[in-house]
Amino acid sequence: MLIKLKSAYESTVLERPRTILLLLTLLAIAAGWYSRDFELDASADSLTLEQDQDVEYFREVNRRYTTQEFLFVAVRPHGDLFSPESLQHIADLRDALVSLEGVSKVTSLPDVPLLNNQQVPLTELADNIRTLESADVDLDAAKEEIRNSPIYRNLLVNPDLTTTALQVNLVIDQRYAELLAMRNQLRETRNQQGLTPKQENALKKASAAFRTYSSDASGRRHQLIGQIREVMDEHRGPADLYLGGVPMIADDMITYVGNDIITFGTGVILFLIVSLAVMFARLRFVLLPLVTCGYTVLVMTGLLGFLHWPVTVISSNFVSLLLILTMSMTMHLIVRYRQLLARHADLGQKALVREAVYPLVRPCLFATLTTAVAFISLLVSGIRPVIDFGLMMTIGQVVAYCSTFLVFPAILMLLPINLADRDNISRASFSSAMGEFTVKHGRSIIVATVLLTIFTITGLNRLVVENSFINYFSDTTEIHQGMLLIDQKLGGTTPLDVVFTLQDPMADDESDLSDDEDLWGDEEEELWNDDAETAANTDYDDRHWFTRDRMRQIREVHDYLDGLPETGKVLSMRTMMELADQFNDGEPLGDLELALLYTRIPKDYRQLVIDPYISVADNEARVTVRIIDSDPNLKRDELLTRIRTDLVEKVGLEPDQFRLTSMMVLYNNMLQSLFRSQVLTLGTVFAGIMVMFLLLFRSLRLATIAMAPNLLSACFVLGIMGWAAIPLDMMTITIAAISIGIAVDNTIHYVERFGVEFVTDRDYVATMKRCHASIGKSMFYTSLIIIVGFSILMLSNFIPTIYFGLLTSLAMLIAILGALTLLPQLIVMTRPFGPAGNPVG
């Protein structure tokens, strides 16, 4: 079989390179066409666990309470917030924002209702609402009301009245919601009971329709956020303006990712050009690797576009990775070709290319497979974007292998031999120096490895999974500054909802309800008849739902959450009750007054303070909390666990009576899965690579030795993260697997070459020196390119990308040092190739 494959390869690639290049060009044209559909995704799906039941409940709550997406525009005037100039500036900003297509409403300081500005009975409230724009408003009284308002405090204004926020409500996209619900319903059916062929087809169509519409909706959202920023730029003169909100975070993440793909892809290419020029000083060995790497990226981009497979924050570095992985294989071919040319200048080009390619097919194949195993291991993470990243890079690794052994040899076959391309074998190299170091300091290497292992294990025990959206962005960026201002001055950033059913002692007692109705009697009907429209549009039973018992339960939950140090602004029906008590001389409202409050409050105010927090039909209340994301003492999982426990033990709710939801819960679910995912991922990748080593080396001892430097480099990075308090998150979880997958290439090439060289004289030390001078040089070149290539990512403003670049570079540095010192020392110590002595035969 192997002979037939070699014969087929030689008869096509080596003998018909022009035909191969023509076919590859046609494929490149097709890939370029489909790459137009390449897209990015930073939706909620990309930040959650696969099949997380809390995701569907979160969507259900949003549908039930008609939750609108919104943005915050934080305004910090240069003068007095309540001066006529500042208020007019805010009003002008509001008017400009509300005129934008896609904005449904803007709530701002000048137009919010002032309930206490004119003392009137509760029943006359609707006809006596004042705002700061009212001609007869008492400004001093308004300032005090806003400062002390349970609604506006830490939401509309900060306590010292120096900063305000405009809430920009976005138009609800009903079509998006319908397509999402249709797709998710079919997915749930598939997960629970399977689908019929007809339903499978329906799911494909629903997924395609949602994917297309979602992409268009993201484009419209990006355009709207851009327009909002343009409006803000036009109004920055009298005040500092900052934008915040979940839609902005998602959109900015896409923008950052898109910029990073272009910037760092370009940066890596420029670095490769410089590196290749310095290493080889030959134009052909600069252009050939670049063409090969570019071809790999083009084909993969086209494939992702063809499959409508979006790139997320996690997989955003796939371009840089593909460039580096392809370059590492191409580098081995270049070094091998140049060394052959130096030794056998009399051979023809076909023989040189063949002898350069054939010995590397097997080790590069196993290197590709082991790297693919590392990426496939990410599938066990349970996190959708991490799974997609693993699949993308597995396919990408296969494309890189094929490109390397098709594009590079085919082009090289068309070029004439140039003796100036020869490698200067006699010149000393870093790898040769490392070989001498290993010979002289073998025991010191073992001692250093033991100490490094202890350091690593200690660091692993310090790993944490806490992280925040604010910490994803550099503190010099607008998104970080805006989020921090809103987080610390205007009530927090990350939303958390507590949804609970209400216990009604009278629900099972019809006579009690009748007595209550009789007790209200004519007074109730008289009050209701004062407003015929209200009476006509209000369900009679809804009025009776608002009882003191229900309100007491809401108050207890609200007050508990409000008392937690990690929480910022808390809103619920309790907020409205606190305001309403002011109309009743500070006394809690009775059942009649509560019913009146529900029906007589102005519609705009009711939509603000009642409808988002009460579902009469479901006998349910909702308390919304914003968590202070920048709190250094915040421990998300511990906080959620404490809330669940206290709602039962301190507040008195039953465990099945309430549920926590919103982005706080979804994001925490993902974070808490990371420890388990990291263990599963590392366990899977080590097991998979061990199997590959056993198949390749056919020796348990040699496979174990080859695993040592890779295991050390991957775990060392995690240990460094623990010591440096760098949290484990969606991006850093991939570093260990990626490091192993890339670093294992060096191990395979070194051990393969050692086995070939050893039979020459069966001298372990001499063989080690020859390997360091030959394959060691390739390993050093490829590792240097990988280390510096990943270091370029540290120029990003996106903190996870910085960590990804820094830690992967560090892992590769440890890996190459281990491959050139620890690995050969272990081989010399254990002698896995048999006893030293005279060469066989």
Side-chain angles (χ1 to χ4, degrees):
M1 178 63 71
L2 184 59
I3 294 175
K4 289 182 179 180
L5 288 175
K6 285 184 177 181
S7 175
Y9 183 86
E10 185 166 347
S11 63
T12 53
V13 179
L14 302 186
E15 293 184 1
R16 296 181 177 84
R18 288 183 175 84
T19 302
I20 291 296
L21 290 176
L22 176 61
L23 294 175
L24 292 175
T25 300
L26 294 176
L27 178 60
I29 293 172
W33 175 265
Y34 284 109
S35 65
R36 301 176 308 156
D37 297 324
F38 176 77
E39 55 186 333
L40 303 174
D41 177 28
S43 64
D45 283 348
S46 70
L47 299 173
T48 58
L49 291 176
E50 179 79 344
Q51 299 181 9
D52 186 353
Q53 296 301 314
D54 284 325
V55 174
E56 183 52 39
Y57 183 71
F58 168 65
R59 291 172 177 152
E60 179 186 335
V61 169
N62 285 344
R63 287 193 297 267
R64 187 179 305 163
Y65 292 94
T66 320
T67 302
Q68 285 183 275
E69 285 191 304
F70 59 86
L71 295 163
F72 280 125
V73 177
V75 181
R76 187 163 54 193
H78 298 157
D80 181 10
L81 177 61
F82 284 85
S83 68
E85 294 79 12
S86 294
L87 292 175
Q88 185 59 51
H89 171 249
I90 295 169
D92 292 341
L93 176 60
R94 173 202 63 199
D95 295 341
L97 291 171
V98 81
S99 67
L100 297 176
E101 184 179 357
V103 174
S104 63
K105 180 182 179 181
V106 178
T107 302
S108 66
L109 180 62
D111 55 68
V112 292
L114 301 171
L115 301 185
N116 293 340
N117 204 258
Q118 183 168 331
Q119 297 297 326
V120 294
L122 182 63
T123 56
E124 300 176 19
L125 183 61
D127 300 322
N128 291 275
I129 292 296
R130 298 287 185 271
T131 71
L132 286 173
E133 293 180 309
S134 300
D136 57 346
V137 68
D138 184 334
L139 185 59
D140 291 334
K143 289 175 66 174
E144 286 306 306
E145 176 180 346
I146 291 172
R147 183 198 303 272
N148 300 311
S149 169
I151 298 178
Y152 304 144
R153 184 178 62 245
N154 289 325
L155 179 66
L156 181 70
V157 295
N158 65 328
D160 57 6
L161 301 184
T162 59
T163 304
T164 186
L166 290 79
Q167 180 172 314
V168 183
N169 287 349
L170 307 182
V171 173
I172 297 176
D173 193 332
Q174 297 291 355
R175 180 58 178 164
Y176 179 92
E178 291 170 2
L179 291 173
L180 177 64
M182 186 184 308
R183 186 202 68 175
N184 290 344
Q185 183 178 1
L186 287 168
R187 280 185 175 182
E188 186 176 353
T189 302
R190 179 191 61 189
N191 295 334
Q192 291 180 352
Q193 61 193 47
L195 297 177
T196 64
K198 184 177 180 180
Q199 289 174 321
E200 283 284 0
N201 187 51
L203 176 57
K204 290 181 181 179
K205 291 182 178 180
S207 297
F210 174 75
R211 183 170 55 244
T212 301
Y213 189 87
S214 178
S215 178
D216 294 340
S218 294
R220 291 191 296 271
R221 179 62 52 83
H222 177 72
Q223 182 179 7
L224 174 59
I225 291 175
Q227 292 172 342
I228 290 174
R229 285 194 162 116
E230 290 176 2
V231 169
M232 292 170 61
D233 289 339
E234 295 170 359
H235 291 79
R236 289 189 188 277
D240 297 325
L241 304 181
Y242 300 95
L243 187 63
V246 173
M248 181 212 65
I249 295 173
D251 185 73
D252 276 14
M253 287 174 72
I254 291 178
T255 302
Y256 274 75
V257 167
N259 290 340
D260 282 354
I261 288 176
I262 297 173
T263 302
F264 298 121
T266 304
V268 169
I269 290 175
L270 292 176
F271 164 73
L272 292 178
I273 292 173
V274 173
S275 300
L276 292 168
V278 171
M279 291 175 183
F280 304 124
R282 303 296 300 163
L283 181 61
R284 66 172 59 181
F285 292 130
V286 173
L287 296 180
L288 270 176
L290 291 178
V291 170
T292 306
C293 293
Y295 188 84
T296 300
V297 172
L298 178 61
V299 170
M300 266 306 294
T301 304
L303 180 61
L304 294 179
F306 174 74
L307 297 175
H308 295 283
W309 195 353
V311 169
T312 65
V313 175
I314 310 303
S315 51
S316 61
N317 294 314
F318 89 100
V319 170
S320 300
L321 275 171
L322 285 178
L323 288 172
I324 291 170
L325 289 170
T326 308
M327 180 58 68
S328 66
M329 281 190 283
T330 307
M331 191 69 71
H332 284 292
L333 288 176
I334 294 174
V335 173
R336 174 74 176 169
Y337 174 85
R338 296 179 75 235
Q339 290 177 344
L340 285 170
L341 185 60
R343 294 190 179 101
H344 308 286
D346 56 326
L347 292 178
Q349 183 74 313
K350 180 179 177 181
L352 285 171
V353 174
R354 181 178 60 242
E355 293 305 315
V357 169
Y358 283 0
L360 292 174
V361 169
R362 184 170 180 265
C364 284
L365 175 61
F366 274 90
T368 296
L369 293 176
T370 50
T371 304
V373 167
F375 286 116
I376 287 175
S377 70
L378 298 176
L379 271 62
V380 303
S381 69
I383 304 170
R384 180 75 263 168
V386 174
I387 292 171
D388 285 344
F389 178 54
L391 289 173
M392 285 179 186
M393 289 309 304
T394 299
I395 298 172
Q397 182 68 15
V398 175
V399 172
Y401 179 81
C402 294
S403 298
T404 301
F405 285 93
L406 291 176
V407 176
F408 183 87
I411 296 178
L412 192 57
M413 281 297 302
L414 300 178
L415 300 176
I417 293 177
N418 190 333
L419 294 181
D421 295 338
R422 291 178 296 182
D423 186 16
N424 187 352
I425 299 176
S426 62
R427 187 177 63 185
S429 64
F430 173 81
S431 57
S432 296
M434 294 302 295
E436 294 295 335
F437 177 85
T438 303
V439 172
K440 296 177 181 178
H441 304 285
R443 291 186 177 180
S444 299
I445 291 171
I446 299 300
V447 172
T449 300
V450 172
L451 294 176
L452 202 61
T453 302
I454 295 172
F455 174 85
T456 298
I457 293 173
T458 308
L460 287 173
N461 292 325
R462 300 167 64 95
L463 271 176
V464 296
V465 294
E466 289 299 330
N467 209 346
S468 67
F469 289 118
I470 290 177
N471 292 331
Y472 277 167
F473 303 93
S474 170
D475 56 11
T476 61
T477 60
E478 178 197 1
I479 184 172
H480 179 96
Q481 295 169 358
M483 291 173 67
L484 190 64
L485 178 68
I486 292 170
D487 194 60
Q488 296 181 347
K489 299 289 187 180
L490 296 169
T493 303
T494 308
L496 170 66
D497 289 353
V498 179
V499 182
F500 57 102
T501 55
L502 293 160
Q503 297 173 340
D504 185 6
M506 301 175 63
D508 298 325
D509 193 337
E510 296 293 338
S511 62
D512 286 346
L513 181 59
S514 300
D515 291 344
D516 193 44
E517 292 173 358
D518 292 340
L519 179 64
W520 288 6
D522 295 338
E523 180 185 3
E524 177 193 18
E525 294 304 319
E526 180 180 347
L527 289 170
W528 244 273
N529 291 332
D530 285 343
D531 191 334
E533 183 180 354
T534 299
N537 293 310
T538 304
D539 188 274
Y540 185 79
D541 290 336
D542 286 359
R543 297 180 254 159
H544 288 275
W545 186 88
F546 288 83
T547 64
R548 282 171 292 185
D549 277 327
R550 288 191 174 98
M551 298 307 107
R552 174 186 54 78
Q553 294 170 59
I554 294 173
R555 183 184 297 111
E556 289 173 351
V557 174
H558 179 113
D559 291 348
Y560 163 73
L561 294 170
D562 200 23
L564 296 174
E566 298 92 343
T567 59
K569 189 63 181 177
V570 180
L571 290 171
S572 72
M573 183 64 188
R574 164 79 165 96
T575 314
M576 189 64 240
M577 290 188 295
E578 186 175 342
L579 281 173
D581 290 347
Q582 299 174 13
F583 291 87
N584 199 38
D585 297 326
E587 295 294 326
L589 300 183
D591 291 351
L592 175 58
E593 289 87 359
L594 286 169
L596 283 172
L597 177 67
Y598 177 67
T599 57
R600 299 301 296 274
I601 193 170
K603 179 181 178 181
D604 290 346
Y605 213 71
R606 174 175 167 175
Q607 291 176 344
L608 178 66
V609 297
I610 295 182
D611 291 348
Y613 310 108
I614 292 295
S615 175
V616 175
D618 298 289
N619 190 34
E620 187 177 79
R622 174 176 175 238
V623 180
T624 68
V625 186
R626 280 161 57 193
I627 305 299
I628 302 176
D629 208 41
S630 59
D631 183 353
N633 298 317
L634 176 62
K635 293 181 173 56
R636 287 164 182 77
D637 191 58
E638 180 183 305
L639 173 62
L640 293 174
T641 301
R642 185 174 5 123
I643 290 174
R644 290 186 178 101
T645 301
D646 288 351
L647 286 177
V648 174
E649 297 180 355
K650 294 184 178 180
V651 180
L653 299 182
E654 296 296 329
D656 59 352
Q657 188 183 347
F658 67 91
R659 190 164 177 179
L660 275 56
T661 186
S662 202
M663 282 305 298
M664 175 73 171
V665 173
L666 303 185
Y667 187 55
N668 183 70
N669 287 352
M670 184 275 298
L671 287 177
Q672 295 310 312
S673 74
L674 293 180
F675 268 128
R676 178 184 59 84
S677 298
Q678 188 70 88
V679 173
L680 286 174
T681 299
L682 288 178
T684 302
V685 71
F686 285 137
I689 290 177
M690 191 66 178
V691 170
M692 299 301 299
F693 279 174
L694 288 172
L695 292 174
L696 176 62
F697 303 137
R698 303 176 186 274
S699 167
L700 178 60
R701 184 195 307 178
L702 194 53
T704 305
I705 291 171
M707 183 65 78
N710 301 293
L711 179 62
L712 179 62
S713 64
C715 293
F716 175 75
V717 170
L718 296 176
I720 285 290
M721 289 174 59
W723 280 109
I726 298 174
L728 196 65
D729 63 14
M730 291 185 299
M731 290 197 71
T732 53
I733 188 181
T734 65
I735 291 174
I738 290 173
S739 301
I740 297 171
I742 299 176
V744 77
D745 296 0
N746 287 331
T747 304
I748 292 174
H749 283 287
Y750 190 89
V751 174
E752 276 277 296
R753 178 59 65 87
F754 201 102
V756 172
E757 295 284 347
F758 182 70
V759 297
T760 303
D761 54 13
R762 300 190 68 82
D763 185 324
Y764 276 93
V765 174
T767 300
M768 180 185 72
K769 291 181 178 180
R770 290 195 300 273
C771 289
H772 274 67
S774 56
I775 193 64
K777 185 179 290 188
S778 297
M779 292 162 56
F780 171 68
Y781 284 162
T782 57
S783 296
L784 181 62
I785 285 178
I786 292 171
I787 291 168
V788 181
F790 277 113
S791 298
I792 294 175
L793 301 180
M794 289 187 285
L795 299 176
S796 175
N797 283 321
F798 193 49
I799 303 301
T801 299
I802 295 175
Y803 283 150
F804 183 84
L806 172 65
L807 295 171
T808 306
S809 296
L810 180 60
M812 293 310 303
L813 176 60
I814 299 298
I816 184 60
L817 291 177
L820 293 176
T821 57
L822 177 61
L823 176 62
Q825 178 61 24
L826 291 175
I827 291 176
V828 171
M829 287 174 57
T830 60
R831 303 191 173 192
F833 292 98
N838 295 326
V840 178

